[in-house]
Amino acid sequence: QVLLAESGGGLVQAGGSLRLSCAASGRTFIPYTMGWFRQAPGKEREFVASVSWSGDTSYYASSVKGRFSISIDNGKRTVNLQMNSLKPEDTAIYYCAYASGSGVTYQYWGQGTQVTVSS
């Protein structure tokens, strides 16, 4: 069982920045992947970014590439998402997720944290 706890959401003006964090607790096994997803009202949940446990490999959705940066502290089992140049369309609930191995299937999810970007 892996528990995930997100923090750092909030309200920000367009063009601003926010940093989300997600701490994993419980039994994690190397290798693993941690990712961020988001769900806006009335829309499907979508992939945002992911990172391998070592930090060597990361992926981004095209909509956030160049604006968001994902990082991981494997010792603390914490993944961060630095979000810059935020846009109103980034407004969503952001979820942290954990996958064993390369991240094809995410087995555990956090409760989510709200990010609201005002225009």
Side-chain angles (χ1 to χ4, degrees):
Q1 180 77 8
V2 176
L3 299 177
L4 302 171
E6 302 104 334
S7 61
L11 173 64
V12 65
Q13 288 189 332
S17 298
L18 280 176
R19 182 177 176 88
L20 304 183
S21 294
C22 173
S25 60
R27 303 186 69 182
T28 58
F29 297 95
I30 291 173
Y32 62 88
T33 298
M34 294 187 73
W36 287 95
F37 292 74
R38 67 186 182 186
Q39 187 167 18
K43 295 189 176 181
E44 298 283 324
R45 185 163 55 188
E46 64 176 1
F47 169 79
V48 176
S50 67
V51 64
S52 61
W53 67 275
S54 62
D56 289 345
T57 304
S58 59
Y59 297 98
Y60 296 90
S62 58
S63 58
V64 306
K65 193 173 294 185
R67 300 187 298 122
F68 291 10
S69 178
I70 191 169
S71 61
I72 190 167
D73 183 331
N74 185 37
K76 296 181 180 178
R77 295 188 296 176
T78 298
V79 62
N80 301 302
L81 185 69
Q82 179 66 41
M83 305 186 295
N84 299 326
S85 302
L86 283 161
K87 304 175 181 179
E89 50 264 43
D90 293 318
T91 295
I93 299 175
Y94 283 70
Y95 297 91
C96 175
Y98 170 95
S100 59
S102 60
V104 174
T105 302
Y106 289 84
Q107 294 95 352
Y108 300 101
W109 296 82
Q111 292 296 309
T113 184
Q114 177 71 49
V115 171
T116 303
V117 184
S118 63
S119 57

